[in-house]
Each structure stands twice: as C-alpha cells, then as structure tokens.
Amino acid sequence: MGQLSHYFYELIHQNRLVHGYVFTGDDYESKEHVSTELIKALGCLNKDEVGHPCGVCEHCQKAQNHQLADVVSIQPDGQSIRVNQIRELKEWLSTSPIESNFKLAIIESAETMNPSSANALLTFLEEPVEGVYLVLYTQDKSNLLPTIQSRVQSVHFPRANVSERVAYYIETGVSEAHARIFAKMSSETAQRLVSDYEEADVTNWFKSLNYFYSTLAHGNLHAVILVQTQLKNSLSTQQALDGMDYLLILNHSMLRILSNTEVENLTQAYFINEVIKTKQPSLAHILELNDLILETKQRLQANVAPQLATERLAILASQ
Ligand SMILES: [Zn+2]
C-alpha cells in the first residue's frame, strides 16, 4: 500500500501522471487509500523536496476527509452507472477547478457502466484536458470496453489479508471489535459501514441482527414479526444486503462450532454459543439457512423489496 502511494508521489513529482487510471483487484481499502494519497500529492501546499504530501495542510486535511470540491466519486445508481451520471460528470469535469489546480473523478464499480455510459466516457479519455484525471475502480480490467481499456493505465491491488484490513479500519476510527467483523465482510460493504461509522449505531444494528439470527437459527416464526416491527425501519436494499453479509458471517461461525472445526477467531463466538445453549439447531437447518440467506441476497440484488425478501427468509427458515 505504502509503495503504491510512493509510486504516485513520484509520478506527480516528475510530472508523469497520465489522465486515466484503472485500479484493478479486490483490495478496495487500498484503492481508496492510494487515491486519497494521490489527491493529497496533487494539491498539497507543503510538499517535501521529493514530492511527498505533508498530510497536515488544509488541502491534505480536506482530501483525507473527502471534502474537496474538485474531487468527485461516482457509484452505480442501483445496478448500473447510468449514461446521465456520466454526462453530468463530463459537464462537471469541463468547468474550472474551484479550490485547486486540478479536478479528479473516481468511478467505482466501473464495470457497471453500460455501453452508452462507457462511450460517453470514452470521448473524454480520447481528448483529455490538462489537469483533469479519472480513476476507475473495477475487479478486472477485461470487464471494461476494450476501447476504454486501451486508454487507461492499470494498477493492480490484490486482496489485503485480514489483519491488514483490521489495522486499516482501526486507523480510520472504527472500534477494534467492529474492525474484526468488518474485515470478514466484502470490502465494499465494509467500506460503506466505515464511511458513516458511528460506534453506537453499529453496535445496535449488530444487536438487532443477532436477535434476528437467533430466531432464524431456532426456526422460530417470531423472526417474521421482527422483520415487520424492528427491522423494517432500517431496511433499505443496501442495508438489507449488508445485513445479509453479517448473517452469513454469524451462520458461518455457527456451522464451524456445530461441526467442531476451527473454532478459533470466530466472529461472535460467545453469542453463537449462547444460541446453541438455548436450543441446539441441527446442522441440516444451518446449512439450509446458508442457502436461504444467499437466495435472499440474490433477490435483493434483483430489486425485490427488502421487507418482502427478508420476510420470505424468515418464513422459509421457520418451516
Ligand atoms: Zn499538505
């Protein structure tokens, strides 16, 4: 991670930064970290003689807190990045910077651009403007249109190991207990949880999901009532998807404990043991629950209403 930041400091220092990059690989946190460092180095008011940003000037602080007016980040609107989003982006890129001498846009999940969005972007990449930079995130460069692939330089970010991720989350202000759980989630989910992290909110959210999970594991029809009363208030599609990720982690711990394999470092092991003490679920039920949760994720991704999808999970788990 550090080495890649230095690579970009050097490029900027030597005036060799190109206009389009694609950050490939699974390590979302490092992509975020390196783009933030790149943004710092582009506008730092107090760089050292080899081009390293100071990290404390007004620009560096704003870059760290994602508060720069001349930097934007685009995410898919639902399933895809729409052509309107790219048109608006191009319009934004064509205006002069407000507080810096550059503009930079990050396009996350760039593979979700449909061909018309990608083509709208292409005209920009073909005729880059001085001081304007694009950074695309995607897992695999081959997911992009070949014409885009050939106009961006790729930098690969292989998946960070769990302890690196835990350290990164703690550094951004997450409690250690939560950091350990986030590190087992997908990078995108974890990053969302980190970006508006409030320790008490996350604790409460995990608590209500724990309770929901215990009713699912026990095949208790009360799970349905929970969805209709407690859970429905915090059920956007995204929250439901993040919640399913967490339920999968709990279910994984349950599977490991029931089958007596590798019980070290399991998430919420104490809680899972309490669930078992109340009434031990059968291994078959827990395996089935795993499939049901995965199915629920697919339904949510296909835009089934979150309350419906979660109710279905609760009903099927109780049969
Ligand atoms: Zn600085």
Side-chain angles (χ1 to χ4, degrees), residues 36-87:
T36 303
E37 289 305 304
L38 186 168
I39 292 162
K40 284 184 193 168
L42 275 171
C44 176
L45 307 167
N46 213 353
K47 277 196 272 193
D48 69 11
E49 67 281 5
V50 287
H52 293 196
C54 71
V56 294
C57 71
E58 195 189 346
H59 173 84
C60 286
Q61 298 261 327
K62 281 189 171 177
Q64 186 67 44
N65 299 321
H66 303 286
Q67 289 168 338
L68 284 169
D70 297 313
V71 173
V72 292
S73 181
I74 308 275
Q75 279 113 18
D77 172 14
Q79 304 275 58
S80 63
I81 294 175
R82 294 168 204 279
V83 67
N84 278 348
Q85 289 177 276
I86 299 294
R87 288 207 186 107

Side-chain angles (χ1 to χ4, degrees), residues 96-202:
S96 309
I98 297 172
E99 53 183 358
S100 332
N101 55 357
F102 70 94
K103 293 192 109 165
L104 184 143
I106 294 169
I107 303 183
E108 297 186 20
S109 308
E111 72 284 353
T112 66
M113 283 189 287
N114 56 33
S116 37
S117 310
N119 280 318
L121 188 66
L122 193 59
T123 54
F124 169 81
L125 287 168
E126 282 167 342
E127 297 161 33
V129 179
E130 171 117 34
V132 177
Y133 306 97
L134 275 182
V135 180
L136 313 182
Y137 293 177
T138 190
Q139 302 265 320
D140 191 331
K141 194 177 179 179
S142 67
N143 296 337
L144 303 176
L145 278 190
T147 39
I148 294 209
Q149 286 179 40
S150 65
R151 285 180 176 80
V152 289
Q153 216 164 79
S154 51
V155 180
H156 190 59
F157 292 78
R159 149 92 60 219
N161 64 38
V162 170
S163 58
E164 281 168 352
R165 291 181 67 191
V166 171
Y168 171 81
Y169 298 137
I170 292 175
E171 191 188 308
T172 56
V174 173
S175 77
E176 188 180 338
H178 290 160
R180 294 194 178 284
I181 297 173
F182 290 0
K184 292 189 176 174
M185 299 177 140
S186 75
S187 311
E188 287 78 9
T189 301
Q191 196 58 39
R192 247 192 322 274
L193 295 171
V194 169
S195 69
D196 50 15
Y197 179 74
E198 290 287 347
E199 186 173 357
D201 290 351
V202 173

Side-chain angles (χ1 to χ4, degrees), residues 211-212 215 219-230 314 318:
Y211 187 42
F212 182 52
T215 59
N220 185 338
L221 204 54
H222 187 61
V224 184
I225 297 163
L226 278 184
V227 177
Q228 291 165 347
T229 56
Q230 292 190 21
S318 69

